[in-house]
């Protein structure tokens, strides 16, 4: 619900001003709310920093600290974002393991994108998920509000093939 509220704030700001003004305003809003101790705002601000086009390394590092702080405060989406940043941004085996653990915790707690990442990103899961597990993770993600996961789910009429192509063996480290 808190991330839906963040999206609503961004949409409201977009309606009141141009897209660039709305982006700057939501950055400022989330940054200030984070400074005031709202962990969800820290996750949202970190996501805006990290996912910006051509985000500089300093912004990515800041996003990681924001996700870690949000996670430490019990904000499960922050844990998922910290995990995703680690699995996408580090080649270190320890970081990869920590990232997978954070994603698994976030998935178990709130569903959403963390479950989708575990289901579809090659090499994220320590063991690639079976087709049945992949569907289960995508259903949990969809139930948690992840629209992309809902779109990846097979139709009820479709054959029981996996919803996405997952390599049989994880990539070599």
């Amino acid at each position: 619900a808190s991330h839906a509220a963040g999206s609503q704030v961004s949409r409201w700001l977009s309606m009141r001003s141009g897209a660039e003004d709305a982006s700057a305003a939501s950055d400022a809003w989330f940054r200030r709310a984070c400074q005031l101790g709202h962990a969800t705002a820290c996750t949202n601000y970190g996501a805006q920093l990290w996912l910006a086009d051509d985000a500089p390394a300093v912004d990515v590092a800041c996003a990681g600290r924001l996700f870690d702080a949000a996670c430490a405060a019990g904000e499960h989406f922050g844990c998922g974002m910290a995990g995703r940043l680690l699995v996408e941004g580090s080649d270190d085996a320890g970081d990869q393991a920590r990232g997978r653990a954070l994603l698994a915790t976030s998935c178990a707690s709130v569903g959403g994108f963390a479950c989708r990442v575990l289901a579809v990103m090659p090499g994220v899961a320590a063991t690639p998920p079976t087709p049945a597990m992949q569907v289960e993770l995508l259903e949990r993600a969809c139930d948690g509000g992840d629209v992309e996961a809902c779109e990846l789910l097979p139709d009820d009429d479709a054959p029981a093939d996996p919803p996405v192509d997952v390599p049989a063996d994880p990539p070599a480290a």
Side-chain angles (χ1 to χ4, degrees):
S2 55
H3 289 278
S7 295
Q8 289 173 353
V9 167
S10 295
R11 279 194 299 274
W12 178 78
L13 290 168
S14 294
M15 290 187 305
R16 294 203 57 205
S17 59
E20 288 182 25
D21 292 340
S23 178
S26 66
D27 281 356
W29 188 86
F30 288 131
R31 181 178 56 246
R32 181 67 180 135
C34 179
Q35 290 168 339
L36 292 171
H38 297 280
T40 299
C42 295
T43 299
N44 283 305
Y45 183 49
Q48 288 180 322
L49 290 173
W50 177 34
L51 301 174
D53 292 335
D54 299 321
V58 67
D59 283 358
V60 175
C62 180
R65 290 189 301 275
L66 289 166
F67 297 147
D68 286 342
C71 185
E75 209 282 294
H76 295 290
F77 281 101
C79 296
M81 291 299 284
R84 181 177 167 201
L85 182 63
L86 286 169
V87 299
E88 287 184 19
S90 177
D91 292 329
D92 179 74
D95 286 347
Q96 290 286 317
R98 180 172 174 258
R100 284 191 298 273
L102 288 168
L103 284 165
T105 298
S106 180
C107 176
S109 298
V110 293
F113 83 93
C115 297
R116 175 178 40 87
V117 170
L118 290 169
V120 303
M121 281 187 70
V124 170
T127 303
T130 65
M133 178 56 83
Q134 203 177 29
V135 169
E136 184 179 315
L137 286 166
L138 289 173
E139 286 174 345
R140 183 156 176 75
C142 184
D143 290 346
D146 188 83
V147 175
E148 289 178 51
C150 300
E151 293 170 355
L152 291 171
L153 283 168
D155 295 332
D156 290 336
D157 307 350
D161 290 334
V164 294
D165 187 24
V166 175
D169 296 314

